[in-house]
Amino acid sequence: EGQPFELAGAVLGGGQFASSQQLAGKPAVVYYWASWANGTAADLKALTELQKAFAGKGLEVVTVSLDDDAQAAAQTVAQAQAGGTHLHM
């Protein structure tokens, strides 16, 4: 048997994503990225569109930035106009 998925962290722009338990029972996409990686902006835009398309079914999108610099991560999210919850580890 598998183990429950655990995820918690600081939300870009402030706040705290308390626990992956917030996602329990919902369809969810968790996407790990970095601002310097090729294709990140396009991926974030595509995830935003996916979330809009399946909002009625409760889809949650959580992205996790692996950038050292939270400001660079926040700038990437803003430029992509990305929806969802964005964490910085």
Side-chain angles (χ1 to χ4, degrees), residues 42-86:
D43 288 350
L44 291 173
K45 288 179 183 180
L47 287 168
T48 298
E49 293 303 314
L50 182 71
Q51 185 177 30
K52 287 178 187 176
F54 291 96
K57 297 198 184 283
L59 179 66
E60 297 284 339
V61 173
V62 179
T63 75
V64 182
S65 169
L66 303 176
D67 281 292
D68 290 332
D69 181 1
Q71 187 173 21
Q75 184 176 8
T76 299
V77 167
Q79 287 175 342
Q81 298 179 343
T85 301
H86 307 285

